[in-house]
Amino acid sequence: ITLVSSSGSTGNCNNHKLNYYVTRGLPPYSVQLYRNGVAYGSPVTTNDTAKFTSLTPDVYYAKVKSTGA
C-alpha cells in the first residue's frame, strides 16, 4: 500500500483527504483507516485506490487485506 496523495488545509477543517494505491496480492482489497491507533470508519473495498475524504487533522494510517481468491 502506498500513500499516493494527501491534501488539506491547516486548522480544524474537515476537508483533509488521503488516497492509497494498493498493489500485490489479489483484488479486491479491504483497506481500513486508523486514527490514533483506533479503526476509523468502515473498511473500503477497492481494486486499486482507496480514497478517504472529509478527515479532520490528526494522525492516520491504513492497513490492507487482499480479499481476492
Side-chain angles (χ1 to χ4, degrees), residues 34-45:
Y34 290 82
R35 177 178 162 188
N36 294 315
V38 178
Y40 185 77
S42 298
V44 171
T45 300

Side-chain angles (χ1 to χ4, degrees), residues 18 20 31-41 52 58-64:
L18 297 172
Y20 288 96
V31 183
Q32 175 66 60
L33 189 66
Y34 290 82
R35 177 178 162 188
N36 294 315
V38 178
Y40 185 77
F52 300 95
D58 220 326
V59 176
Y60 297 92
Y61 66 92
K63 289 185 179 180
V64 64

Side-chain angles (χ1 to χ4, degrees), residues 4-52:
V4 290
S5 67
S6 64
S7 64
S9 58
T10 58
N12 291 323
C13 297
N14 292 333
N15 61 352
H16 292 261
K17 301 173 187 173
L18 297 172
N19 294 323
Y20 288 96
Y21 183 69
V22 184
T23 58
R24 308 222 182 205
L26 298 172
Y29 305 101
S30 175
V31 183
Q32 175 66 60
L33 189 66
Y34 290 82
R35 177 178 162 188
N36 294 315
V38 178
Y40 185 77
S42 298
V44 171
T45 300
T46 183
N47 286 326
D48 54 23
T49 303
K51 298 178 181 185
F52 300 95

